[in-house]
Amino acid sequence: MNKSEFTAAIAKKTGFTKVDAKKAVDAFIEVVTESMKKGEEVRLLGFGTFSVSERAARMATNPQKPGQKIKVPAHKVVKFKPGAALSLRKKK
């Protein structure tokens, strides 16, 4: 499902117009993005948690020249931990 399909599904589920649903989806993405840039965690009970993690610098193989090593600098990455509502495991 891409963004426009997701927006259409939200509009259908909520009764919003597609324009209003697109505004809501865009606002959600913007709020999560701004929070991640600040290093904040976003918890949506039952859905999941978005968090920022620091990845250490490391040496890696250059994909264009496999015999050559390159240094990958330290950087931040976004992690998502699904909540119970998203669990795909079968319950006993």
Side-chain angles (χ1 to χ4, degrees), residues 47-51 79-83 86:
F47 181 73
T49 303
F50 295 91
S51 61
K79 291 190 174 184
F80 177 75
K81 182 178 177 187
L86 286 182

Side-chain angles (χ1 to χ4, degrees), residues 14-86:
T14 61
F16 291 171
T17 65
K18 286 186 180 180
V19 171
D20 288 339
K22 182 181 184 317
K23 286 179 186 177
V25 169
D26 289 343
F28 171 79
I29 292 169
E30 188 176 320
V31 168
V32 171
T33 301
E34 288 172 358
S35 296
M36 297 286 96
K37 286 181 179 179
K38 292 177 189 173
E40 297 173 352
E41 195 173 77
V42 178
R43 291 184 189 179
L44 302 172
L45 188 61
F47 181 73
T49 303
F50 295 91
S51 61
V52 178
S53 180
E54 187 76 30
R55 188 166 283 171
R58 63 186 173 90
M59 294 302 289
T61 303
N62 184 345
Q64 295 175 342
K65 298 179 183 176
Q68 183 184 25
K69 295 286 185 184
I70 56 173
K71 181 174 171 77
V72 178
H75 59 281
K76 293 180 180 179
V77 293
V78 174
K79 291 190 174 184
F80 177 75
K81 182 178 177 187
L86 286 182

